[in-house]
Amino acid sequence: MAGILCVIEQRDGTIRRASLQALSQAARLTAPTGAAVTAVLVGHGVSGLAPSLGGYGASRVLVADELRFARYTPEAYAAAIQAAAALVVPQAVFMSATTVGRDLAGRLAARLGVDCLADVVKVWLEEDAVVAVRPVYSGKALATVDGGSSSPVVVTLRPNVFAVEPIAAAGTVEPLSVPEVAVRAVVREVVAKESGELDVAEADIVVSGGRGMKAPENLALVRDLAHAMGAAVGASRAIVDAGWIDHAYQVGQTGKVVSPTLYLACGISGAIQHLAGMSSSKIIVAINKDPEAPIFKAADYGIVGDALQVLPALTAEVKRLKAEG
Amino acid sequence: MRSCVLLACVPDTASVIKLGAAGNRIDEAGIKWVISPYDEFALEEAVRIKEAGSGHVTVISYGPDRVQATLRDGLARGADAAVQVTGGETTFGNALAIARVLAAAIRKLGGFDLVWAGVKGVGSDNSLVGAMVAELCDLPHVSGVLKAEFGGGKVVAHREVDGGMEVIEAPLPCVLTAQKGLNEPRYPSLKGIMASKKAAIQTMSVADLGLDEAALAGAGCRWRSLALPPAKGGGMILNGETDPAAAARELARLLREQAKVI
C-alpha cells in the first residue's frame, strides 16, 4: 500500500476545515494497513501551519513555502503537487472539493495522466482500486465509481461530509522542492467579499430564501436568521434569475451543491433543480405556505405558514436560545 | 477571434432520473437531451465575441448520434461550424478519456484562440474536462469565468472564488470555462434553426484522432453501479398558519433538543 497524499488548502494563514476533513478521512482509511498519509502544503508564509497537520494524521508534511505560491494558480500548484506525488508515489491524492480543489484537480490529474473521482461523499481503498460514491445528475443519483488503472487516483472530497478527527500524533515537516514552471494565467487582483460572510458551499448551516419571500427587501429576514444562527445565506434559482440576489448564492443544479448539517428553505417550493443541490443536507427544514410544496417531502421538519411571519419569530427564538446557552 | 466551444449533451435539468437495466447507467427512455446549461453560457459568450468583432465559432461534441442534435442547437445559436467526434459509449463519465479525445480534436482542427467549455457538465458533474483539456493542449485556463475582456493577445477574466472575486490575466490561446452569470444565453432564432437543419456536421472517429477508445476507457473512471438516493419522508410538519410565532418556537425547540443542530 502506497498511502495517500493529501493536499492542504489554506487561506489567509488558516488551514481550511475542508482540508482537515480530507486529511482525517485519509488517516481513517490508512489506519488498518498502516500506510502513510503525507500532507502537502503550498503557499507563502505557511510553514508555521505545517506542524499542526500531524495532529490530524499526517505522518509527513511537505511544505512548498515560496513567494511564487503566494496566490493560488492552477499551473504552479499543480507542479508543486506533482513534485510531492513523485516523492511519495501514493495510491491516491486527496483534496477537498472546494473551488480551488475542483479547479486544481483537473489540471493535476491530466498532468499525471490519471483520472479524478470528483466531489465524493464516500471513499474507500481496495487492494488495487480507489473506490468512491459520488452524487451525479446533481444528486438525483449516486454512482459508485473507481479510478480504473489510474495511479494515483485523484479524489476530491465534498466539504462537510467527512468528520475531522484530531489524534495524538505528530508528523515530520520537510521542505518540498518544486521545479520552475511557466505560470501563464496570473492573478492580477482579488476582490474580497464583505467580511464575515460565510461561503454557502462550506457552511455548516445554510438559510435559503425563495420566491415565497415575495420581494427582494424581505431577504433581510433570511439574512437576520442566518446571522442569528451563524449560517450562510443561500437562494433559489427563481430569485437569482429575478435579480434579487447574486448567483454566487444560488443553491441547486445550476448553482452550488451543498450538504450542511442544517438547511433551512424559506419560501422555496422545492423544484427538482433546487432539491438536487441540497438534498444531501443532514437535517432539512422547510417553511412554506403551500402544504403541497415538494420541499416538504424532503424535509425533516417543516412549518406550513407564511415565511414572512415565521422567520422573525424563529430568529427571535434562536437568539433567545443562544443567549440561554 | 477563432473560438471552439465544447458542448456536452446531457439530460434536461428538469428530468426525473431512473435507473437503467445495465445497473450503472440511467434509463434513457423519455429523456430530453440538451446542451449542458453551463456550455450554453460558453457558447453565448463565444458568439458575442464574434459578433462584436470578427471571428469564427466551432462547436465540438464527443458522443453517439444524439449529439448531432446538440451540435445543430449550437449552430442555431450562432456557431459557424460543428464537429462530432463519434463514439463515447465506453468512456462515459470518464473525464480523462473525454478530455484526451477533445484535446486531440482541438489540436487536429487547430488554430483556435479560445477554447470554451462550461464550468461543469450537469450529469457526470465532474467539473474536470476544461482544466484537463488545457493541460493536455499545454494551454493556460481560467475556470468559472463571470466576465472576460480581450485585447493585446490577452484575456482578463473575472472568476468567483471562495471568499471573493479573482481577476486573472492570461495570454491567448487559452481555455475558459463559463459560470452562470457570464451572460444571458439567447434562444435560437427560427432562421438559425432552419439553417442548422441543413448545415453539414463534420465527423471524426476516436481512431481518426490516433487514439484507442478501449485503452482510454480502461485508464480512467468507471461507473460500477448507480443507485437512487434514499427517499426521505415522514418529516415533522407543523401548522404555522394560525399562530406562526408558536410554530417557530416549537421548531427551534425541536432543532435544539431533538435534532441537536442549533
Side-chain angles (χ1 to χ4, degrees), chain A residues 9 11 16 72 74-75 98-100 102-103 105-107 109-111 113-119 124 126 129 131 134-150 184-193 199 202 205 229 237 240-241 247-248 250 253-257 261-262 264 272-273 279 281-285 287 289 291 296-306 309-310 313-314 317-318 321-322 325, chain B residues 11-17 19 26 33 37-38 41 92-97 100 120 122-128 131-143 146 154 156 159-171 174 179-181 184 217-230 232-241 244-256 258-262:
Chain A
E9 200 184 320
R11 188 163 78 201
R16 301 192 69 175
Y72 166 73
E75 291 167 285
T98 57
T99 306
V100 165
R102 301 191 77 147
D103 184 50
R107 188 112 213 164
R111 213 176 169 90
V114 300
D115 208 358
C116 170
L117 309 180
D119 200 25
W124 63 93
E126 293 179 358
V131 192
R134 47 183 307 269
V136 291
Y137 302 97
S138 304
K140 291 177 200 169
L142 294 165
T144 301
V145 297
D146 67 49
S149 62
S150 288
R184 294 159 293 186
V186 291
V187 181
R188 282 281 169 251
E189 200 187 334
V190 180
V191 186
K193 253 193 221 165
D199 294 325
E202 265 186 88
I205 305 180
M229 295 186 123
R237 172 172 156 175
V240 169
D241 286 353
H247 170 253
Q250 185 182 319
Q253 192 157 13
T254 51
K256 303 268 167 62
V257 175
T261 307
L262 174 59
L264 292 100
I272 193 162
Q273 229 269 358
S279 53
S281 307
K282 288 176 197 79
I283 299 286
I284 294 171
V285 174
I287 300 167
K289 259 194 348 200
F296 284 117
K297 292 206 172 63
D300 300 281
Y301 300 95
I303 295 180
V304 177
D306 185 351
Q309 292 176 13
V310 172
L314 185 56
E317 184 63 9
V318 167
L321 289 172
K322 294 237 166 179
Chain B
D12 183 84
T13 57
S15 302
V16 174
I17 297 297
L19 301 184
I26 62 166
W33 298 93
Y38 294 95
F41 302 122
F92 173 82
N94 178 331
L96 178 69
R100 280 176 166 164
K120 165 167 103 170
V122 309
S124 300
D125 293 353
N126 278 317
S127 291
L128 292 168
M132 283 181 162
V133 164
E135 178 66 27
L136 296 170
C137 291
D138 191 20
L139 297 176
H141 84 273
V142 184
S143 61
L146 285 167
K154 286 180 186 164
V156 175
R159 69 184 286 255
E160 186 203 330
V161 291
D162 299 335
M165 188 80 78
E166 272 181 358
V167 183
I168 296 175
E169 186 179 296
C174 181
Q179 176 62 280
K180 184 175 177 180
E184 198 59 53
C221 171
R222 295 180 297 206
W223 287 29
R224 287 185 174 183
S225 62
L226 195 64
L228 296 179
K232 266 200 172 170
M236 185 175 295
I237 310 301
L238 310 167
N239 180 343
E241 282 168 321
R249 281 195 299 274
E250 176 61 5
L251 174 63
R253 189 190 69 77
L254 289 166
L255 292 179
R256 192 174 184 92
Q258 194 177 74
K260 295 184 169 47
V261 286
I262 60 171

Side-chain angles (χ1 to χ4, degrees), chain B residues 158-244:
Chain B
H158 296 234
R159 69 184 286 255
E160 186 203 330
V161 291
D162 299 335
M165 188 80 78
E166 272 181 358
V167 183
I168 296 175
E169 186 179 296
L172 302 182
C174 181
V175 175
L176 301 175
T177 71
Q179 176 62 280
K180 184 175 177 180
L182 176 64
N183 54 43
E184 198 59 53
R186 73 193 67 188
Y187 289 101
S189 66
L190 188 60
K191 189 170 155 234
I193 294 170
M194 297 312 288
S196 75
K197 285 189 175 159
K198 290 181 218 134
I201 292 176
Q202 185 186 347
T203 61
M204 51 181 79
S205 68
V206 172
D208 291 338
L209 295 169
L211 296 169
D212 172 26
E213 191 167 292
L216 290 175
C221 171
R222 295 180 297 206
W223 287 29
R224 287 185 174 183
S225 62
L226 195 64
L228 296 179
K232 266 200 172 170
M236 185 175 295
I237 310 301
L238 310 167
N239 180 343
E241 282 168 321
T242 44
D243 189 348

Side-chain angles (χ1 to χ4, degrees), chain A:
Chain A
M1 295 287 267
I4 297 174
L5 177 67
C6 185
V7 180
I8 303 297
E9 200 184 320
Q10 55 83 35
R11 188 163 78 201
D12 304 331
T14 308
I15 289 168
R16 301 192 69 175
R17 193 162 175 80
S19 294
L20 297 180
Q21 294 163 359
L23 182 56
S24 285
Q25 179 63 12
R28 278 189 290 270
L29 293 181
T30 51
T33 59
V37 175
T38 306
V40 55
L41 178 63
V42 185
H44 180 54
V46 297
S47 296
L49 301 172
S52 68
L53 296 169
Y56 298 93
S59 56
R60 183 182 185 194
V61 185
L62 301 170
V63 186
D65 189 340
E66 293 182 49
L67 186 57
R68 61 180 164 136
F69 301 127
R71 276 181 178 158
Y72 166 73
T73 63
E75 291 167 285
Y77 275 50
I81 310 308
Q82 183 181 29
L87 275 181
V88 175
V89 197
Q91 185 182 11
V93 179
F94 279 15
M95 61 184 90
S96 182
T98 57
T99 306
V100 165
R102 301 191 77 147
D103 184 50
L104 176 60
R107 188 112 213 164
L108 175 70
R111 213 176 169 90
L112 299 174
V114 300
D115 208 358
C116 170
L117 309 180
D119 200 25
V120 308
V121 295
K122 279 186 195 162
V123 57
W124 63 93
L125 305 177
E126 293 179 358
E127 194 159 348
D128 294 312
V130 179
V131 192
V133 173
R134 47 183 307 269
V136 291
Y137 302 97
S138 304
K140 291 177 200 169
L142 294 165
T144 301
V145 297
D146 67 49
S149 62
S150 288
S151 179
V153 181
V154 177
V155 182
T156 64
L157 289 78
R158 180 174 286 195
N160 281 345
V161 170
F162 299 92
V164 175
E165 210 174 317
I167 55 168
T172 58
V173 177
E174 297 163 48
L176 174 67
S177 164
V178 183
E180 284 301 322
V181 286
V183 174
R184 294 159 293 186
V186 291
V187 181
R188 282 281 169 251
E189 200 187 334
V190 180
V191 186
K193 253 193 221 165
E194 256 177 75
S195 61
E197 240 184 65
L198 289 164
D199 294 325
V200 64
E202 265 186 88
D204 217 28
I205 305 180
V206 175
V207 183
S208 285
R211 188 80 84 178
M213 298 307 297
K214 299 208 177 74
E217 57 272 20
N218 294 333
L219 291 180
L221 301 177
V222 172
R223 291 195 186 94
D224 287 347
L225 178 59
H227 188 72
M229 295 186 123
V233 171
S236 72
R237 172 172 156 175
I239 69 166
V240 169
D241 286 353
W244 294 9
I245 188 167
D246 189 77
H247 170 253
Y249 297 90
Q250 185 182 319
V251 172
Q253 192 157 13
T254 51
K256 303 268 167 62
V257 175
V258 301
S259 40
T261 307
L262 174 59
Y263 187 89
L264 292 100
C266 311
I268 293 176
S269 63
I272 193 162
Q273 229 269 358
H274 189 77
L275 294 175
M278 43 62 79
S279 53
S280 66
S281 307
K282 288 176 197 79
I283 299 286
I284 294 171
V285 174
I287 300 167
N288 201 297
K289 259 194 348 200
D290 175 11
E292 301 301 318
I295 191 77
F296 284 117
K297 292 206 172 63
D300 300 281
Y301 300 95
I303 295 180
V304 177
D306 185 351
L308 299 184
Q309 292 176 13
V310 172
L311 286 192
L314 185 56
T315 303
E317 184 63 9
V318 167
K319 281 184 181 162
R320 195 185 67 76
L321 289 172
K322 294 237 166 179
E324 265 181 12

